[in-house]
Structure formats: C-alpha cells, structure tokens
Amino acid sequence: MSGTGPVRADLDGGAAPSQVAAPPPAAAPGDASAAGGVAARATRQRIDDASVRLKRVLRRVAAHWRRSLQFRTVVATVLLTSAASVAVGGFLSTQIAAALYDQRFDQFSAEATDQLTEYKAVFRDSSATDRDTINRLVVDSVTALVGSDTDSPRQAILAPISGEEIVIPTTSSQNGATAGMLPADLQAAVADGEDIYWSPILIPVTERGEIDAPGIAFGTQVALPPEQTPYALYVYYDLSTMQETLDYIQRVLGISGLILLMMIAAIAWYVTRSVVRPVSYAASVSEKLAAGELQERMEVSGEDEVARLGVSFNHMAGSLQDQINQLAQLSQMQQRFVSDVSHELRTPLTTVRMAAEVLHDSREDFDPINKRSAEILFDQVERFQALLADLLEISRFDAGAATLEAESVDIVQLVHHAVDGARPLAERLGSEVRISSTEASCIVDADARRIDRILRNLIVNALEHGEAKPVDIIVDANSEAVAVAVRDHGIGMTPEQASRVFDRFWRADTARARTTGGSGLGLSIATEDARLHRAWLQAWGMPGEGSCFRLTLPRNQGIELTSSPVALPPGARASSVDAEAPIGAEPAMLGVGENSEAQ
C-alpha cells in the first residue's frame, strides 16, 4: 500500500462567521481629524503608562533577584522544572500519539484494503448493462462500505476519474462530503495506478458535526460496467474521536505538569527557606554585632549543619566580645594613665620650670659650661611643658571631653595671627611666608582657639620641612565653605610617609631629631580639632616637590561639605588615610596614590 504522509493530530478549529456592522453616521472632516488626534494621544498615553508600569515591575523583580537567594533558587528551580516538564510532556504526548495512530492505522489499512479489494472485484465482475442497474449497484456498494465503528466511523465516495460519467459522483456521508476534500496527490495517485493509496485528510464536517476534523482516506481505481469506465473509490475514517482522546491526554499531562510544577515550587521554597532563613538570621546578627551590639547571639536548635554554624558563630561572637572588651579596657587604662601622669607631672614640672627660669636668668654669672647647661635645661623644660600640654589635650579628645565653642570668626585674621606667631621661626630658618587671599575677610562659624592651633601647626610644619624655601598660604571661599592651604617646597613626602602623617608621635624624617619640631602630636591634635568642626584636613606630598596641607571649613555648622574652594597642586592625586573622618565628610587625603583627584 502506498501513502502520502502521516495524519496531523492537531488542527485549527473553524472560525466564527464574521458580522457586518452598520456604518456610523458621517462626521465633518475637522471633527474627525480632532477626534482622531485625541484618540491617538490617548492610545500613546496608555502605551506609555503600561511601559512605565512594566519597567517598574521589572526593576522590582531585578532588585529582588539580586537581593534574595531564596527568590533566585525558587525561580531557577521553577524555570528548569518547567523546561524539563515541557520536554518530557512533549515527548510523552508524541509517543502516545504515534503509538495510538500506528495501532489504528494498521487496523484501518487492513479493513480498507479488504473492503476496497472486495468491491473492486464486485464492480469488475458485475453484468449490469443499463444505467439504473449500475446506479443501484453503486449506491448499494457505497452504502455497504460505511463502517459502524463508533470511535472511527467510515464513509465512502465514488467519483469519476475522466470526464466521462456513467453515474454521478456518489457519497455515503450525510453531510455532503465530496471528492473535492481529498488531497490532490491522492487523487492523482489513484488515477495513475492500480494499487490502494492512502493520505491524511481534513474533513470539513463530520457526521457528528465536528468542523475540520482529522481523518485518513484510502483509495483505489475501479472499473464500472459495461465499458469498464475507470472510477475512483475512496473510503475515509473520521479520527475526531482519536483526536479528542489525544487532546484529553495532553490536557491531563498539562494539568499534571502544572500541579507538579506548583508542588516543586512549594517544596523548593520550603527547602530553601529552611536553609536561607538561618543564613539571613546570621547576617542580621552579624550586622548588629558590627553596629556594636556585642551581646547579640544566634538561637541554636537541633544538631545539623545550621546548628553547628550557629554554635560556631556564637563562639566567634563571644570571643570577639571578650577581645573587644579587653582592648577597650586596655585603651581606657592607657588613656587614664596618660591623663593621670600628665596631671601628676604638672606640679613638679612647674617647680622645675621655676628653678630653670632662675638658673636661666642668672646664667651670666656662671662659667661657660654651667651657662650652657642652664640654657639647655630651660629649652628642654619648655619642650617638656609643650609635650605635657599636648598630652593633656589628647587625653581630653580620647575621653570625649573636648567641646566646640563656635562663634563667628574671620579666617583671614586668624591666618595673619598664626603667621605673626610663626614669624620668629621663619626668620630663623630663612623662609618667606606669603599669604594669598581672594577676599579681605572670610567669616565662618568656628572655634577660634582650635582653628588658630591648626593653622599654627600647619605653618610650623611647613617651615620646618620647607628647607628655607618660601611657604605659600592660600585662602579662598565659596558660598558653603572656606579653605586654607599651606604649601611648602621642601623635602615633600613619599607615599609611605604620607600614609602616617597624622599618626601620633610620628616624624617624616627620623634623622631629624627631637631638637627640631614639636612633640609629634601637632598634626594629630589638628586632625581632632578638624573633626570637631566636621571639616576636612587633607594633605598632598611629592618627594622633592614639597607638601600641601588643606583645611576646609563649612561656613556654618551643620553644612555638609561636598567640595573645597582651594585645589591641591595640579595633577596631584591623594590617598585616603585619615582615621575616622566625620560622618558625611570627605576623609583626609594623604600622600600620592590611590584615591580620586582632589577637588
């Protein structure tokens, strides 16, 4: 038996008949144009609103995807399971359809072959000669070919092959099925050969009323008496019941897959929740620990991996708490020791200073050796007293007792006052101090004593490391801030030196002995003074090109600094190494290196 192709299991249903509506009343051209414009704008607005809502939803989903491990796990599980379910469902559906079709095709092929062969012999051996007898033979034969199977009913069609007709085309169908619904390749095969051929077909209307139902047709060529005129005899089977069975199986598979998918999603959510929830809880506890709530601990239940994680986490937290408490106690003891020693040294130091002053005032009566000893004693007592004052100031900062007494002060006047105080040192070192200011007066809310101390430290530091070269002081302001930059052209700083410039008791050049410079606490105290003002204290340095320290103050307390009116040297790049810059303020910038270019 020859064939032309497999049966299609899924076919589109018929379309509903179209309805013709009555035309609307005619409108004026201007009214139609205006109405069209309004409608177009309304449509665009709806599209824009829908696009905005869609973007908002997508942003929320993307944010949830980035932040939630559980959401990612569940979504990934559902997507992968859906893909697997579609693949498995498609495979099962295909295999079931193929098995069902192959089984029924063999049955239909055997039945059709037997029936067509039998009636082909009936027509060939018939002795009918008149038209009425032949018509009665054709009608009886076509009617006899009707199958009684309720699952796949069989109908028959007899149609002429050539233009000559002995009898009119005959069909057993009650719905007027004709040979025109049969595929052209099947009709051509029957017209040219003697075998039995088959092909899938589309039945316009079945006996049960289905529209465009699938079917399968078998056909062969027969000869009608008395002239042995060639006719085509077809039998076709209605496969709509089998299609309904396949549709039902696919629906069952789809519903089962959807239920299975929902169950897998619920299972994935529960499993991931049982794993992610302790991790999220641990993250929350760790954040509280980082915020200083050292007493926080994880609740531990069970003996599984999560419980062991909780035990280890709590042990770690307890160890950290003990160490932090020990360090805090040690720091308090050190601060208390420095404060107590500094206070205790004030009285004997005062007595020693008085004795040193008496000896210094009487040095002219001494021999040269004792005279020099009295001068050295007086100078070192002065340095000792300055160191003691700095230690007391540092102890106040450490104890949190330092307060800001802000008032309206003229920063330009403070600069001149600090320069006047450092002028003897400048004359002794041979350095010229040059002041450049865009304004004659710059008023800020600040503590004059602390700002004067910062400026004095910066100027003295520049003079001591300026190698007798000029020292430039630049003052500038904008609507939010006032800045003072102190620039020297001396030895400069390396990146390693710049990273420690604000450390306590640190000197850039250890070979520069303690005979020059202060206590080593000046820049540290300046940093604390700047922090009280929520100001920026920044520095830049380059070996052989000098250094530049910049103090940026907000004009009014409460203003958050965003930029500085004075720029660091051109091409300078600074690194952030200052400790604990105030919240909302830029950290101090020290040395050549890693951070963004200073403003």
Side-chain angles (χ1 to χ4, degrees):
M1 177 175 294
S2 301
T4 59
V7 175
R8 298 181 183 274
D10 292 310
L11 299 171
D12 295 335
S18 60
Q19 297 180 355
V20 180
D31 295 341
S33 177
V38 171
R41 286 194 297 272
T43 302
R44 286 195 299 269
Q45 183 63 37
R46 287 194 296 270
I47 294 175
D48 293 340
D49 293 342
S51 177
V52 169
R53 288 193 296 270
L54 178 61
K55 291 180 180 178
R56 187 181 298 114
V57 170
L58 292 178
R59 283 197 298 268
R60 290 178 179 174
V61 172
H64 205 47
W65 175 270
R66 292 192 304 269
R67 298 172 183 171
S68 175
L69 176 61
Q70 182 178 5
F71 179 75
R72 289 200 303 271
T73 304
V74 172
V75 170
T77 302
V78 170
L79 292 178
L80 294 176
T81 305
S82 300
S85 300
V86 170
V88 173
F91 175 76
L92 291 177
S93 177
T94 302
Q95 293 300 313
I96 293 173
L100 184 60
Y101 172 74
D102 292 341
Q103 178 185 6
R104 299 308 301 271
F105 178 81
D106 293 339
Q107 175 186 350
F108 296 153
S109 177
E111 290 180 358
T113 301
D114 292 342
Q115 294 294 326
L116 291 176
T117 302
E118 176 184 352
Y119 282 92
K120 186 175 183 178
V122 168
F123 286 125
R124 183 182 64 246
D125 298 337
S126 174
S127 59
T129 56
D130 61 284
R131 193 177 186 89
D132 292 338
T133 305
I134 295 173
N135 281 334
R136 188 165 52 254
L137 174 64
V138 168
V139 171
D140 292 343
S141 299
V142 170
T143 303
L145 284 173
V146 174
S148 59
D149 189 353
T150 57
D151 290 339
S152 301
R154 185 179 66 219
Q155 302 293 336
I157 299 175
L158 182 68
I161 294 177
S162 61
E164 180 182 0
E165 291 186 3
I166 297 178
V167 295
I168 61 175
T170 306
T171 176
S172 62
S173 173
Q174 301 298 320
N175 295 309
T178 64
M181 73 178 188
L182 301 175
D185 55 353
L186 177 61
Q187 298 184 45
V190 171
D192 295 337
E194 297 292 333
D195 293 332
I196 298 175
Y197 303 94
W198 69 272
S199 175
I201 63 172
L202 189 65
I203 304 174
V205 180
T206 67
E207 301 302 316
R208 297 189 303 170
E210 289 89 348
I211 298 176
D212 291 339
I216 184 170
F218 297 86
T220 188
Q221 187 178 129
V222 297
L224 266 63
E227 304 294 335
Q228 300 298 311
T229 304
Y231 266 69
L233 179 61
Y234 302 99
V235 292
Y236 66 89
Y237 293 85
D238 178 7
L239 304 182
S240 59
T241 303
M242 187 172 69
Q243 181 64 52
E244 291 177 357
T245 303
L246 291 176
D247 292 340
Y248 175 75
I249 294 174
Q250 290 174 353
R251 285 195 302 271
V252 170
L253 289 176
I255 294 174
S256 301
L258 183 60
I259 295 174
L260 179 63
L261 187 63
M262 295 174 63
M263 294 176 61
I264 291 176
I267 294 172
W269 178 83
Y270 176 77
V271 172
T272 54
R273 180 175 178 268
S274 63
V275 176
V276 173
R277 188 175 181 181
V279 176
S280 300
Y281 179 57
S284 176
V285 174
S286 65
E287 290 175 355
K288 293 181 180 179
L289 289 173
E293 301 179 18
L294 301 180
Q295 75 284 355
E296 285 293 327
R297 296 294 185 272
M298 288 184 61
E299 296 181 1
V300 179
S301 60
E303 299 178 357
D304 56 7
E305 291 81 357
V306 176
R308 292 200 298 272
L309 170 64
V311 172
S312 301
F313 186 92
N314 291 340
H315 179 71
M316 178 192 68
S319 178
L320 287 176
Q321 183 179 13
D322 293 341
Q323 294 181 15
I324 291 174
N325 290 336
Q326 291 176 4
L327 291 174
Q329 293 175 0
L330 179 60
S331 177
Q332 291 176 358
M333 292 174 59
Q334 291 175 341
Q335 294 173 11
R336 189 180 302 112
F337 174 78
V338 172
S339 177
D340 293 344
V341 169
S342 301
H343 282 86
E344 291 298 327
L345 287 177
R346 294 183 67 181
T347 300
L349 181 60
T350 302
T351 304
V352 172
R353 177 180 173 83
M354 292 174 60
E357 288 178 351
V358 171
L359 293 176
H360 187 266
D361 292 340
S362 304
R363 68 184 182 280
E364 298 299 333
D365 298 334
F366 299 156
D367 58 78
I369 295 178
N370 290 330
K371 177 182 179 180
R372 180 57 183 160
S373 298
E375 292 175 348
I376 293 175
L377 176 62
F378 182 79
D379 292 339
Q380 294 306 312
V381 169
E382 289 283 345
R383 289 171 58 83
F384 190 16
Q385 189 171 19
L387 172 60
L388 187 59
D390 289 343
L391 286 174
L392 288 172
E393 188 67 24
I394 285 292
S395 66
R396 279 193 290 271
F397 281 120
D398 291 339
T403 57
L404 186 67
E405 299 177 0
E407 59 181 356
S408 296
V409 297
D410 185 357
I411 198 70
V412 176
Q413 183 179 353
L414 290 179
V415 169
H416 283 282
H417 182 268
V419 170
D420 291 339
R423 195 172 303 280
L425 177 62
E427 293 175 353
R428 180 165 59 86
L429 297 176
S431 295
E432 178 187 2
V433 181
R434 301 178 297 199
I435 301 175
S436 174
S437 176
T438 58
E439 299 182 16
S441 176
C442 292
I443 305 299
V444 296
D445 290 340
D447 190 328
R449 180 179 64 87
R450 297 185 184 278
I451 298 301
D452 180 75
R453 181 164 58 191
I454 295 174
L455 295 175
R456 188 170 64 252
N457 279 323
L458 297 183
I459 295 172
V460 170
N461 183 72
L463 290 172
E464 290 183 346
H465 298 83
E467 297 184 328
K469 296 178 181 178
V471 174
D472 296 318
I473 302 177
I474 301 96
V475 183
D476 202 352
N478 57 25
S479 60
E480 296 181 353
V482 175
V484 179
V486 180
R487 173 79 158 94
D488 68 76
H489 303 81
I491 60 175
M493 293 184 292
T494 64
E496 181 180 359
Q497 293 169 343
S499 65
R500 302 188 57 192
V501 70
F502 289 127
D503 290 352
R504 297 178 182 181
F505 297 107
W506 183 85
R507 288 172 176 260
D509 187 358
T510 56
R512 282 178 170 293
R514 300 294 178 177
T515 57
T516 62
S519 62
L521 295 173
L523 290 179
S524 299
I525 294 175
T527 303
E528 299 294 341
D529 286 333
R531 184 175 289 113
L532 281 177
H533 288 83
R534 300 187 64 82
W536 296 348
L537 182 57
Q538 302 164 295
W540 167 88
M542 182 71 71
E545 297 185 13
S547 305
C548 181
F549 287 79
R550 181 179 67 183
L551 173 66
T552 307
L553 292 161
R555 277 190 175 272
N556 299 294
Q557 291 298 312
I559 294 179
E560 182 176 335
L561 295 175
T562 57
S563 62
S564 179
V566 177
L568 288 175
R573 295 184 65 83
S575 58
S576 300
V577 213
D578 184 26
E580 298 180 0
I583 298 175
E586 183 179 314
M589 315 292 283
L590 312 175
V592 182
E594 57 191 2
N595 275 11
S596 59
E597 188 168 337
Q599 300 297 319

Coordinates of all heavy atoms in Angstrom, one line a residue, residues 301 426 496:
S301 N 19.1 25.5 67.5 CA 18.2 24.4 67.8 C 18.6 23.2 66.9 O 18.9 23.4 65.7 CB 16.8 24.7 67.6 OG 16.6 25.1 66.2
A426 N 60.3 81.6 61.1 CA 60.5 81.8 59.7 C 61.8 82.6 59.5 O 62.6 82.3 58.6 CB 59.3 82.5 59.1
E496 N 54.6 56.2 51.6 CA 54.6 55.5 52.9 C 54.6 56.6 54.0 O 53.9 56.4 55.0 CB 55.9 54.7 53.0 CG 56.0 53.9 54.3 CD 57.3 53.1 54.4 OE1 58.0 53.1 53.4 OE2 57.5 52.5 55.4

